[in-house]
Amino acid sequence: MSLLEFWSDHTYRVVFLGTAVIGVVAGCLGAFAYLRKQSLMSDVISHAAFPGTLVAFLAAVLVLGVDGRNMGLLVMGAMVVGAAAVGFAHLITAISPIRVDTAMAISLTLFFGAGMLMMRVISNSGLVGIGGIQDYLFGNASVMTRADLTTSWVVGGIALVVLALCWKEFALRSFDPHHAEVLGFRGKVIDAVMFTSVVVATVIGVKAVGLVLMVAFVVTPPAAARQWTRKLGPMVVLSGIFGGLGSSLGAYLSIAIGDVPTGPVIVLVLFAVFVVSLLCSPQRSVVAAAMRRVRARRRLRAELLAENREQVRA
């Protein structure tokens, strides 16, 4: 399929633009989760988003009497339950000697188990509009609508505005939390705003990509960007670019190839970007490190030979 044919199709344009904005937002905000060494948190959020979407679906159908697949309501439910899962993991860490990675694993399995149980109950309930709700498990970009695209742009745009407004606080909290406390910044408030933004970046992609693969959108672009730069600003921007380009290219390839799921193709493209960064970045790549070791051995060998020659002359 040519680019002109691809772009002239309304459904393909929605999928392309929707996955692109998901990649940009997840890439930019995922950089802070990466720097805080809490990348697993995105996995917690995405798995907790599953029961969150189901709770929102039930509330929409049984309480509000509207379509349970409304993107705005589902994102809201996923955000609330995703934030609750993050708070639960932090609570375990605060009141017990359990490490944060173990606490996140406990929270992930608890919320995902609850989601699977709710999924079975809803599937057997016969409620109106349950068709397609199971797509949130593995995602289905082809069902994205213009309303879904608008919701993703608005919610993702708000998250990026929050990132810009709280840039100094996020940066200081990520690199020197004790200094941030001394300057009067409240760590818990900054953490709450930061991880709420990461929650937003994660849940807006659950419908298109699925909760299982959404973690790749949050983790892979920052890991690739970190290979190219040591500065925070360029890293966040580069991570957003990697996320946006990888997602849009993966969406195009999945449609051009035909009959392949969009989410897995995007993940493979993002992984290819990571591999290229790992091998080719000028300062931190595997190749650059190997060349530095070779040059260091040559310098050491030359110094030892020169020292031996001096000793022979003496």
Side-chain angles (χ1 to χ4, degrees):
M1 176 182 293
S2 67
L3 285 174
L4 183 60
E5 292 174 334
F6 177 86
W7 197 250
S8 61
D9 188 286
H10 170 75
T11 303
Y12 295 163
R13 283 200 309 272
V14 170
V15 172
F16 182 88
L17 295 174
T19 52
V21 70
I22 291 168
V24 170
V25 176
C28 290
L29 291 165
F32 289 93
Y34 176 86
L35 292 173
R36 294 286 298 271
K37 303 185 187 305
Q38 295 189 10
S39 297
L40 184 59
M41 193 62 74
S42 60
D43 212 10
V44 175
I45 295 167
S46 61
H47 282 74
F50 185 46
T53 56
L54 298 179
V55 169
F57 173 82
L58 290 174
V61 174
L62 300 178
V63 180
L64 301 178
V66 298
D67 186 1
R69 292 167 295 184
N70 180 279
M71 182 70 171
L73 293 175
L74 295 177
V75 167
M76 192 178 300
M79 285 176 55
V80 172
V81 180
V86 173
F88 181 65
H90 284 159
L91 177 64
I92 294 175
T93 307
I95 65 175
S96 71
I98 296 176
R99 291 167 54 90
V100 64
D101 54 346
T102 306
M104 286 191 288
I106 294 172
S107 181
L108 184 155
T109 52
L110 172 65
F111 281 84
F112 185 62
M116 293 302 294
L117 180 62
M118 291 182 63
M119 187 71 245
R120 176 57 63 90
V121 173
I122 291 175
S123 299
N124 296 331
S125 66
L127 291 172
V128 177
I130 61 174
I133 196 69
Q134 69 276 3
D135 288 338
Y136 287 88
L137 192 59
F138 297 107
N140 188 356
S142 63
V143 299
M144 288 189 73
T145 64
R146 183 181 289 275
D148 297 338
L149 178 62
T150 303
T151 303
S152 299
W153 277 95
V154 171
V155 177
I158 293 173
L160 292 180
V161 169
V162 171
L163 170 63
L165 294 176
C166 301
W167 179 267
K168 182 176 65 177
E169 290 81 2
F170 284 6
L172 197 58
R173 182 68 178 165
S174 298
F175 290 105
D176 196 344
H178 298 296
H179 186 54
E181 294 281 355
V182 172
L183 292 178
F185 295 115
R186 300 182 64 181
K188 291 184 179 179
V189 176
I190 298 174
D191 286 349
V193 176
M194 182 187 300
F195 284 112
T196 300
S197 301
V198 177
V199 169
V200 172
T202 304
V203 300
I204 62 173
V206 169
K207 182 175 182 179
V209 184
L211 59 90
V212 176
L213 298 178
M214 193 56 213
V215 64
F217 282 66
V218 181
V219 174
T220 310
R226 187 69 180 89
Q227 300 299 313
W228 295 94
T229 179
R230 295 175 179 272
K231 297 182 179 180
L232 177 62
M235 177 185 171
V236 173
V237 173
L238 202 56
S239 180
I241 293 173
F242 284 162
L245 289 179
S247 302
S248 53
L249 177 61
Y252 170 73
L253 290 176
S254 70
I255 294 170
I257 296 172
D259 200 24
V260 291
T262 304
V265 176
I266 293 175
V267 171
L268 292 177
V269 172
L270 292 175
F271 178 71
V273 173
F274 171 73
V275 171
V276 171
S277 302
L278 197 64
L279 295 176
C280 302
S281 62
Q283 299 295 329
R284 297 168 60 89
S285 69
V286 176
V287 176
M291 292 178 66
R292 283 196 295 272
R293 284 196 295 271
V294 169
R295 286 195 292 268
R297 290 195 185 99
R298 287 176 179 174
R299 284 196 300 271
L300 179 61
R301 189 180 299 112
E303 291 174 0
L304 291 174
L305 290 174
E307 185 177 345
N308 289 335
R309 283 196 292 269
E310 290 294 332
Q311 291 176 352
V312 170
R313 290 174 184 171

